[in-house]
Coordinates of all heavy atoms in Angstrom, one line a residue:
M492 N 109.7 123.4 108.3 CA 110.2 122.1 107.7 C 111.3 121.4 108.5 O 111.2 120.2 108.7 CB 110.6 122.5 106.3 CG 111.0 121.2 105.4 SD 109.6 120.2 105.1 CE 110.4 118.6 104.8
K493 N 112.2 122.2 108.9 CA 113.3 121.6 109.7 C 112.8 120.9 110.9 O 113.2 119.9 111.3 CB 114.3 122.6 110.0 CG 115.4 122.8 109.0 CD 116.6 123.5 109.4 CE 117.6 123.5 108.2 NZ 118.7 124.5 108.4
L494 N 111.8 121.7 111.6 CA 111.2 121.1 112.8 C 110.5 119.8 112.5 O 110.6 118.8 113.3 CB 110.3 122.2 113.3 CG 109.9 122.1 114.9 CD1 111.2 122.2 115.7 CD2 109.0 123.1 115.3
L495 N 109.8 119.8 111.4 CA 109.0 118.5 111.0 C 110.0 117.4 110.9 O 109.8 116.3 111.4 CB 108.3 118.8 109.7 CG 107.6 117.5 109.2 CD1 106.4 117.2 110.1 CD2 107.1 117.8 107.8
L496 N 111.2 117.7 110.3 CA 112.2 116.6 110.1 C 112.7 116.1 111.4 O 112.9 114.9 111.6 CB 113.4 117.2 109.3 CG 113.2 117.1 107.8 CD1 114.4 117.7 107.1 CD2 113.0 115.7 107.4
V497 N 112.9 117.0 112.3 CA 113.4 116.7 113.6 C 112.4 115.7 114.3 O 112.7 114.7 114.9 CB 113.7 117.9 114.5 CG1 114.0 117.5 116.0 CG2 114.9 118.7 114.0
F498 N 111.1 116.0 114.2 CA 110.1 115.2 114.7 C 110.1 113.8 114.2 O 110.0 112.8 114.8 CB 108.7 115.8 114.7 CG 108.5 116.9 115.6 CD1 108.0 118.1 115.3 CD2 108.8 116.7 117.0 CE1 107.8 119.1 116.2 CE2 108.5 117.7 117.9 CZ 108.1 118.9 117.6
L499 N 110.2 113.8 112.8 CA 110.2 112.5 112.1 C 111.4 111.6 112.6 O 111.3 110.5 112.8 CB 110.5 112.8 110.6 CG 109.2 112.9 109.8 CD1 109.5 113.3 108.4 CD2 108.4 111.6 109.8
L500 N 112.5 112.3 112.7 CA 113.7 111.6 113.1 C 113.6 111.1 114.6 O 114.0 110.0 114.9 CB 115.0 112.4 113.0 CG 115.4 112.6 111.5 CD1 116.5 113.7 111.4 CD2 115.9 111.3 110.9
A501 N 113.0 111.9 115.4 CA 112.8 111.6 116.8 C 111.8 110.4 116.9 O 111.9 109.6 117.9 CB 112.3 112.8 117.6
A502 N 110.9 110.3 115.9 CA 110.0 109.1 115.9 C 110.6 107.8 115.6 O 110.2 106.8 116.1 CB 108.8 109.4 114.9
I503 N 111.8 107.8 114.9 CA 112.4 106.6 114.6 C 112.9 105.7 115.7 O 112.5 104.6 115.8 CB 113.6 106.9 113.6 CG1 113.0 107.5 112.2 CG2 114.4 105.6 113.3 CD1 114.0 107.9 111.2
P504 N 113.5 106.3 116.7 CA 113.9 105.5 117.8 C 112.6 104.9 118.6 O 112.8 103.8 119.2 CB 114.7 106.4 118.7 CG 115.0 107.6 118.0 CD 114.0 107.7 116.8
I505 N 111.6 105.7 118.6 CA 110.4 105.2 119.3 C 109.8 104.0 118.5 O 109.5 103.0 119.1 CB 109.3 106.3 119.3 CG1 109.9 107.5 120.2 CG2 108.0 105.8 119.9 CD1 109.1 108.7 120.1
C506 N 109.8 104.0 117.2 CA 109.4 102.9 116.4 C 110.3 101.7 116.7 O 109.9 100.6 116.8 CB 109.4 103.2 114.9 SG 108.3 104.4 114.4
C507 N 111.6 102.1 116.8 CA 112.6 101.0 117.0 C 112.3 100.3 118.3 O 112.4 99.0 118.4 CB 114.0 101.7 117.1 SG 115.3 100.8 117.6
Y508 N 112.1 101.1 119.4 CA 111.7 100.5 120.7 C 110.6 99.6 120.6 O 110.5 98.5 121.1 CB 111.6 101.6 121.7 CG 111.3 101.2 123.0 CD1 112.3 100.6 123.8 CD2 110.0 101.2 123.5 CE1 112.0 100.1 125.1 CE2 109.7 100.8 124.8 CZ 110.6 100.2 125.6 OH 110.4 99.8 126.9
A509 N 109.5 100.1 119.9 CA 108.2 99.4 119.9 C 108.3 98.1 119.1 O 107.7 97.1 119.4 CB 107.2 100.4 119.2
S510 N 109.1 98.1 118.0 CA 109.2 96.9 117.2 C 110.4 96.0 117.5 O 110.6 95.0 116.8 CB 109.2 97.3 115.7 OG 110.4 98.0 115.4
S511 N 111.3 96.5 118.4 CA 112.6 95.9 118.6 C 113.3 95.5 117.3 O 113.8 94.3 117.2 CB 112.6 94.7 119.6 OG 111.3 94.2 119.7
N512 N 113.3 96.4 116.4 CA 113.9 96.1 115.1 C 114.9 97.2 114.9 O 114.9 97.9 113.8 CB 112.8 96.1 114.0 CG 113.3 95.4 112.8 OD1 114.5 95.0 112.7 ND2 112.5 95.4 111.7
C513 N 115.8 97.3 115.8 CA 116.7 98.5 115.7 C 117.8 98.4 114.6 O 118.1 99.5 114.1 CB 117.5 98.5 117.0 SG 116.4 98.9 118.4
H514 N 118.1 97.2 114.2 CA 119.1 97.2 113.1 C 118.5 97.8 111.8 O 119.2 98.6 111.2 CB 119.5 95.7 112.9 CG 120.4 95.6 111.8 ND1 121.8 96.0 111.8 CD2 120.3 95.2 110.5 CE1 122.4 95.8 110.7 NE2 121.5 95.3 109.8
A515 N 117.3 97.5 111.5 CA 116.6 98.1 110.4 C 116.6 99.6 110.4 O 116.9 100.3 109.5 CB 115.2 97.5 110.2
M516 N 116.2 100.1 111.7 CA 116.1 101.5 111.9 C 117.5 102.2 111.7 O 117.6 103.3 111.0 CB 115.6 101.9 113.3 CG 114.3 101.4 113.6 SD 113.1 102.2 112.4 CE 111.7 101.0 112.6
D517 N 118.6 101.6 112.2 CA 119.9 102.1 112.0 C 120.2 102.3 110.6 O 120.8 103.3 110.2 CB 120.9 101.1 112.7 CG 121.1 101.3 114.2 OD1 120.5 102.3 114.7 OD2 121.7 100.5 114.8
N518 N 119.9 101.3 109.8 CA 120.1 101.3 108.4 C 119.4 102.4 107.7 O 120.0 103.1 106.9 CB 119.9 99.9 107.8 CG 120.4 99.8 106.4 OD1 121.4 100.4 106.1 ND2 119.8 98.9 105.6
V519 N 118.1 102.5 108.0 CA 117.3 103.5 107.4 C 117.9 104.9 107.7 O 118.0 105.8 106.8 CB 115.8 103.5 107.8 CG1 115.0 104.6 107.3 CG2 115.2 102.1 107.2
V520 N 118.3 105.1 108.9 CA 118.8 106.4 109.3 C 120.1 106.6 108.6 O 120.3 107.7 108.0 CB 119.1 106.5 110.9 CG1 119.9 107.7 111.2 CG2 117.8 106.5 111.6
A521 N 121.0 105.6 108.5 CA 122.2 105.8 107.8 C 121.9 106.2 106.3 O 122.7 107.0 105.7 CB 123.0 104.5 107.8
Q522 N 120.9 105.5 105.7 CA 120.6 105.8 104.3 C 120.1 107.2 104.2 O 120.3 107.9 103.1 CB 119.6 104.8 103.8 CG 120.0 103.4 103.9 CD 121.1 102.9 102.9 OE1 121.1 103.4 101.8 NE2 122.0 102.2 103.4
T523 N 119.3 107.7 105.1 CA 118.7 109.0 105.1 C 119.7 110.0 105.1 O 119.7 111.0 104.3 CB 117.8 109.2 106.3 OG1 116.8 108.1 106.5 CG2 117.0 110.5 106.2
I524 N 120.8 109.9 105.9 CA 121.8 110.9 106.0 C 123.0 110.7 105.1 O 123.9 111.6 105.1 CB 122.2 111.2 107.5 CG1 122.8 109.9 108.1 CG2 121.0 111.7 108.3 CD1 123.2 110.1 109.5
N525 N 123.0 109.7 104.3 CA 124.1 109.4 103.4 C 123.8 110.1 102.1 O 123.0 109.7 101.4 CB 124.2 107.9 103.2 CG 125.5 107.6 102.4 OD1 126.0 108.4 101.7 ND2 125.9 106.4 102.5
S526 N 124.6 111.1 101.8 CA 124.3 111.9 100.6 C 124.8 111.2 99.3 O 124.4 111.6 98.2 CB 125.1 113.2 100.6 OG 126.5 113.1 100.8
S527 N 125.4 109.9 99.4 CA 125.7 109.2 98.1 C 124.5 108.2 97.8 O 124.6 107.5 96.9 CB 127.0 108.5 98.2 OG 127.5 108.3 99.5
V528 N 123.5 108.2 98.7 CA 122.3 107.4 98.3 C 121.3 108.2 97.6 O 120.9 109.3 98.1 CB 121.7 106.8 99.7 CG1 120.5 106.0 99.4 CG2 122.8 105.9 100.4
S529 N 120.9 107.8 96.4 CA 120.0 108.6 95.6 C 118.5 108.4 96.1 O 118.3 107.5 96.9 CB 120.0 108.1 94.1 OG 119.4 106.8 94.1
V530 N 117.6 109.2 95.7 CA 116.2 109.1 96.1 C 115.7 107.8 95.8 O 115.0 107.2 96.6 CB 115.3 110.3 95.5 CG1 113.9 110.0 95.7 CG2 115.8 111.7 96.1
A531 N 116.0 107.3 94.5 CA 115.4 106.0 94.1 C 115.9 104.9 95.0 O 115.2 104.0 95.4 CB 115.8 105.8 92.6
E532 N 117.2 104.9 95.3 CA 117.8 103.8 96.2 C 117.2 103.9 97.6 O 116.9 102.8 98.2 CB 119.3 104.1 96.3 CG 120.2 103.6 95.1 CD 121.6 104.0 95.2 OE1 121.9 105.2 95.7 OE2 122.5 103.3 94.9
Y533 N 117.0 105.2 98.0 CA 116.4 105.3 99.4 C 115.0 104.8 99.4 O 114.6 104.1 100.3 CB 116.4 106.8 99.7 CG 115.9 107.1 101.0 CD1 116.6 106.7 102.1 CD2 114.7 107.9 101.2 CE1 116.1 107.0 103.4 CE2 114.2 108.1 102.5 CZ 115.0 107.7 103.6 OH 114.4 108.0 104.8
Q534 N 114.2 105.1 98.3 CA 112.8 104.5 98.3 C 112.8 103.0 98.4 O 112.0 102.4 99.0 CB 112.1 105.0 97.1 CG 111.6 106.4 97.2 CD 110.8 106.9 96.1 OE1 111.1 106.6 94.9 NE2 109.8 107.8 96.4
G535 N 113.8 102.4 97.7 CA 113.9 101.0 97.7 C 114.3 100.4 99.1 O 113.6 99.4 99.5
V536 N 115.1 101.1 99.8 CA 115.5 100.7 101.2 C 114.2 100.8 102.1 O 113.9 99.9 102.8 CB 116.6 101.6 101.7 CG1 116.9 101.3 103.2 CG2 117.9 101.4 100.9
V537 N 113.5 101.9 102.0 CA 112.4 102.2 102.9 C 111.3 101.1 102.5 O 110.8 100.5 103.5 CB 111.8 103.6 102.7 CG1 110.5 103.7 103.4 CG2 112.8 104.6 103.2
K538 N 111.2 100.8 101.3 CA 110.2 99.8 100.9 C 110.5 98.4 101.4 O 109.6 97.7 101.8 CB 110.1 99.8 99.3 CG 108.9 99.1 98.8 CD 108.9 99.2 97.3 CE 107.7 98.3 96.8 NZ 108.0 97.9 95.4
S539 N 111.8 98.1 101.4 CA 112.2 96.8 101.9 C 111.9 96.6 103.4 O 111.8 95.5 103.8 CB 113.7 96.5 101.6 OG 114.5 97.3 102.4
Y540 N 111.8 97.7 104.1 CA 111.5 97.6 105.5 C 110.0 97.8 105.8 O 109.3 97.0 106.4 CB 112.2 98.6 106.4 CG 113.7 98.2 106.4 CD1 114.6 99.1 105.8 CD2 114.1 97.0 107.0 CE1 116.0 98.8 105.9 CE2 115.5 96.7 106.9 CZ 116.4 97.5 106.4 OH 117.7 97.3 106.4
A541 N 109.5 98.8 105.0 CA 108.0 99.1 105.2 C 107.5 99.0 106.6 O 106.5 98.3 106.8 CB 107.2 98.2 104.2
F542 N 108.2 99.7 107.5 CA 107.8 99.6 108.9 C 106.7 100.5 109.2 O 106.1 100.4 110.3 CB 109.1 99.9 109.8 CG 109.8 101.2 109.4 CD1 109.3 102.4 110.0 CD2 110.8 101.2 108.5 CE1 110.0 103.6 109.6 CE2 111.4 102.3 108.1 CZ 111.1 103.6 108.7
L543 N 106.4 101.4 108.4 CA 105.2 102.3 108.6 C 104.5 102.4 107.2 O 105.1 102.3 106.2 CB 105.7 103.7 109.0 CG 106.3 103.9 110.3 CD1 106.9 105.2 110.4 CD2 105.3 103.6 111.4
P544 N 103.2 102.7 107.3 CA 102.5 102.9 106.0 C 103.1 104.2 105.5 O 103.3 105.2 106.3 CB 101.0 103.1 106.4 CG 101.0 103.0 107.9 CD 102.3 102.8 108.5
Y545 N 103.5 104.3 104.4 CA 104.2 105.5 103.9 C 103.8 105.9 102.5 O 103.2 105.1 101.7 CB 105.7 105.3 104.0 CG 106.3 104.5 102.9 CD1 106.8 105.0 101.7 CD2 106.2 103.1 102.9 CE1 107.3 104.2 100.7 CE2 106.6 102.3 101.9 CZ 107.2 102.9 100.9 OH 107.7 102.1 99.8
D546 N 104.1 107.2 102.2 CA 103.7 107.7 100.9 C 105.0 107.9 100.2 O 105.9 108.5 100.6 CB 103.0 109.1 101.3 CG 102.7 109.9 100.1 OD1 103.2 109.6 98.9 OD2 102.0 110.9 100.3
R547 N 105.1 107.3 99.0 CA 106.3 107.3 98.2 C 106.8 108.8 98.0 O 108.0 109.0 98.0 CB 106.1 106.7 96.8 CG 106.2 105.2 96.8 CD 106.1 104.8 95.3 NE 107.2 105.0 94.5 CZ 108.2 104.2 94.4 NH1 108.3 103.2 95.1 NH2 109.2 104.6 93.7
K548 N 105.9 109.7 97.7 CA 106.2 111.1 97.4 C 106.8 111.7 98.7 O 107.8 112.5 98.6 CB 105.0 111.9 96.9 CG 104.8 111.7 95.4 CD 103.6 112.6 95.1 CE 103.0 112.2 93.8 NZ 101.6 112.6 93.7
A549 N 106.2 111.4 99.8 CA 106.7 112.0 101.0 C 108.1 111.4 101.3 O 109.0 112.2 101.8 CB 105.8 111.6 102.2
V550 N 108.3 110.2 101.0 CA 109.7 109.6 101.3 C 110.7 110.3 100.3 O 111.8 110.6 100.8 CB 109.7 108.1 101.0 CG1 111.1 107.5 100.9 CG2 108.9 107.4 102.1
A551 N 110.3 110.5 99.1 CA 111.2 111.1 98.1 C 111.5 112.6 98.6 O 112.7 113.1 98.6 CB 110.5 111.2 96.8
K552 N 110.5 113.3 99.1 CA 110.7 114.6 99.6 C 111.6 114.7 100.8 O 112.5 115.5 100.9 CB 109.3 115.3 100.1 CG 108.7 116.0 98.9 CD 107.6 116.8 99.5 CE 106.7 117.3 98.3 NZ 105.3 117.7 98.8
L553 N 111.4 113.7 101.7 CA 112.3 113.7 102.9 C 113.8 113.5 102.5 O 114.6 114.1 102.9 CB 111.8 112.5 103.8 CG 112.7 112.2 105.0 CD1 112.5 113.3 106.0 CD2 112.3 110.9 105.6
K554 N 113.9 112.4 101.6 CA 115.3 112.2 101.1 C 115.9 113.4 100.4 O 117.0 113.8 100.6 CB 115.3 110.9 100.3 CG 116.7 110.6 99.7 CD 117.7 110.3 100.8 CE 119.1 110.0 100.2 NZ 120.1 110.2 101.2
Q555 N 115.0 114.0 99.5 CA 115.5 115.2 98.8 C 115.9 116.3 99.7 O 116.9 117.0 99.5 CB 114.5 115.7 97.8 CG 115.0 116.7 96.8 CD 116.1 116.2 96.0 OE1 116.0 115.2 95.4 NE2 117.2 116.9 96.0
C556 N 115.2 116.4 100.7 CA 115.5 117.5 101.7 C 116.9 117.3 102.3 O 117.6 118.2 102.5 CB 114.4 117.4 102.8 SG 114.6 118.7 104.0
F557 N 117.2 116.0 102.6 CA 118.5 115.7 103.1 C 119.6 115.9 102.1 O 120.7 116.4 102.4 CB 118.6 114.3 103.7 CG 118.0 114.2 105.1 CD1 116.7 113.9 105.4 CD2 118.8 114.5 106.3 CE1 116.2 113.9 106.6 CE2 118.3 114.5 107.5 CZ 117.0 114.2 107.7
L558 N 119.3 115.5 100.8 CA 120.2 115.7 99.8 C 120.6 117.2 99.6 O 121.7 117.5 99.1 CB 119.7 115.1 98.4 CG 119.7 113.6 98.4 CD1 119.0 113.1 97.1 CD2 121.1 113.0 98.5
D559 N 119.6 118.0 99.9 CA 119.9 119.5 99.8 C 120.7 120.1 100.8 O 121.1 121.2 100.8 CB 118.5 120.2 99.6 CG 117.7 119.9 98.4 OD1 118.3 119.3 97.5 OD2 116.5 120.1 98.4
Q560 N 121.0 119.3 101.9 CA 121.7 119.8 103.0 C 123.2 119.7 102.7 O 123.6 118.8 102.0 CB 121.4 119.1 104.3 CG 119.9 119.0 104.6 CD 119.3 120.4 104.8 OE1 119.8 121.2 105.4 NE2 118.1 120.5 104.1
S561 N 124.0 120.5 103.4 CA 125.4 120.4 103.3 C 125.9 119.2 104.1 O 125.2 118.7 104.9 CB 126.1 121.7 103.8 OG 125.8 121.8 105.2
E562 N 127.1 118.8 103.8 CA 127.7 117.7 104.5 C 127.8 118.0 106.0 O 127.7 117.1 106.8 CB 129.2 117.4 103.9 CG 129.2 116.7 102.6 CD 128.5 115.3 102.6 OE1 128.6 114.7 103.6 OE2 127.9 114.9 101.6
E563 N 128.0 119.3 106.2 CA 128.1 119.7 107.6 C 126.8 119.4 108.3 O 126.8 118.9 109.5 CB 128.5 121.2 107.7 CG 129.0 121.6 109.0 CD 129.1 123.1 109.2 OE1 129.0 123.8 108.2 OE2 129.1 123.5 110.4
T564 N 125.7 119.8 107.7 CA 124.4 119.6 108.4 C 124.2 118.1 108.5 O 123.7 117.6 109.6 CB 123.3 120.2 107.5 OG1 123.6 121.5 107.2 CG2 121.9 120.1 108.2
L565 N 124.5 117.3 107.5 CA 124.3 115.9 107.7 C 125.1 115.3 108.8 O 124.7 114.4 109.5 CB 124.7 115.2 106.4 CG 123.7 115.5 105.2 CD1 124.2 114.8 103.9 CD2 122.3 115.1 105.5
A566 N 126.3 115.8 108.9 CA 127.2 115.3 110.0 C 126.5 115.7 111.4 O 126.6 114.9 112.4 CB 128.6 116.0 109.9
N567 N 125.9 116.9 111.5 CA 125.3 117.2 112.7 C 124.1 116.4 113.0 O 123.8 116.1 114.1 CB 124.8 118.8 112.6 CG 125.9 119.7 112.7 OD1 127.0 119.4 113.2 ND2 125.7 120.9 112.2
V568 N 123.3 116.0 112.0 CA 122.2 115.1 112.1 C 122.6 113.8 112.7 O 122.0 113.2 113.6 CB 121.4 115.0 110.8 CG1 120.4 113.9 110.9 CG2 120.7 116.3 110.4
K569 N 123.8 113.3 112.1 CA 124.3 112.1 112.6 C 124.7 112.1 114.1 O 124.3 111.2 114.8 CB 125.6 111.8 111.7 CG 126.1 110.4 111.9 CD 127.1 110.0 110.8 CE 127.6 108.6 111.0 NZ 128.6 108.5 112.1
V570 N 125.3 113.2 114.4 CA 125.6 113.4 115.9 C 124.3 113.4 116.8 O 124.2 112.7 117.8 CB 126.4 114.7 116.1 CG1 126.5 115.0 117.6 CG2 127.8 114.5 115.4
M571 N 123.3 114.1 116.2 CA 122.1 114.2 117.0 C 121.4 112.9 117.1 O 120.9 112.5 118.1 CB 121.1 115.2 116.2 CG 119.9 115.5 117.0 SD 118.8 116.5 115.9 CE 117.9 115.1 115.1
M572 N 121.5 112.1 116.0 CA 120.8 110.7 116.1 C 121.5 109.8 117.1 O 120.9 109.1 117.8 CB 120.9 110.0 114.7 CG 120.0 110.6 113.7 SD 118.3 111.0 114.2 CE 117.8 109.2 114.4
E573 N 122.9 110.0 117.2 CA 123.6 109.2 118.1 C 123.2 109.6 119.6 O 123.1 108.8 120.5 CB 125.1 109.4 117.9 CG 125.5 108.5 116.8 CD 126.9 108.9 116.1 OE1 127.6 109.8 116.6 OE2 127.2 108.4 115.1
I574 N 123.0 110.9 119.8 CA 122.5 111.4 121.1 C 121.2 110.8 121.4 O 121.0 110.3 122.6 CB 122.5 112.9 121.1 CG1 124.0 113.4 121.1 CG2 121.8 113.4 122.5 CD1 124.1 114.9 120.8
I575 N 120.3 110.8 120.4 CA 118.9 110.3 120.7 C 118.9 108.8 121.1 O 118.2 108.4 122.0 CB 118.0 110.5 119.4 CG1 117.7 112.1 119.3 CG2 116.7 109.8 119.6 CD1 117.0 112.4 118.0
Y576 N 119.8 108.1 120.4 CA 119.9 106.7 120.7 C 120.5 106.4 122.0 O 120.4 105.6 122.7 CB 120.7 105.9 119.6 CG 119.9 105.6 118.3 CD1 120.3 106.1 117.1 CD2 118.6 105.0 118.4 CE1 119.7 105.9 115.9 CE2 117.9 104.8 117.2 CZ 118.4 105.2 116.0 OH 117.7 105.0 114.9
Ligands
NAG1129 C1 126.8 105.7 101.6 O1 126.2 104.9 100.7 C2 127.1 104.4 99.7 C3 126.4 103.6 98.7 O2 125.3 102.9 99.2 C4 128.1 103.4 100.5 O3 129.0 102.9 99.7 C5 128.9 104.2 101.6 O4 129.6 103.3 102.4 C6 127.8 104.9 102.5 N1 128.5 105.8 103.4 C7 128.3 105.8 104.7 C8 129.0 106.8 105.5 O5 127.6 105.0 105.2

């Protein structure tokens, strides 16, 4: 599961490059790793960009997975995303 998440996150900058819509991607990433954003709010954010065909349930699971992580893990993800960019 963790590996899958890493792949998903790694795909984000690729989409960003392909669509030259980096600001939107930055925002989605920020919302993904922000533990004060609820699943419902997150779905709204993803929907407003709809950069990929997506499955609402999959989006909810992804967000829930991040909500289940500790602040420390989220901080690590943030660092990792900065390295990828
Ligand atoms: C997380 O989201 C909340 C609510 O949208 C926002 O007020 C806060 O600034 C965000 N925190 C970070 C670190 O982006």
Side-chain angles (χ1 to χ4, degrees):
M492 184 63 204
K493 273 197 175 158
L494 200 61
L495 176 69
L496 276 179
V497 170
F498 282 130
L499 271 173
L500 288 172
I503 295 175
I505 297 167
C506 294
C507 169
Y508 179 76
S510 69
S511 23
N512 196 0
C513 293
H514 179 73
M516 294 302 160
D517 279 349
N518 192 27
V519 171
V520 170
Q522 303 289 319
T523 307
I524 59 180
N525 185 340
S526 57
S527 18
V528 176
S529 71
V530 169
E532 279 170 323
Y533 182 68
Q534 282 184 322
V536 171
V537 172
K538 199 177 167 204
S539 71
Y540 294 115
F542 50 90
L543 290 173
Y545 75 101
D546 174 346
R547 276 183 75 85
K548 276 188 202 149
V550 168
K552 268 193 191 156
L553 175 69
K554 179 58 183 165
Q555 191 57 53
C556 181
F557 277 92
L558 287 176
D559 294 343
Q560 307 304 313
S561 65
E562 285 299 328
E563 196 194 342
T564 306
L565 293 178
N567 287 337
V568 170
K569 190 164 181 285
V570 170
M571 189 188 83
M572 291 310 294
E573 278 159 12
I574 291 168
I575 292 174
Y576 282 126

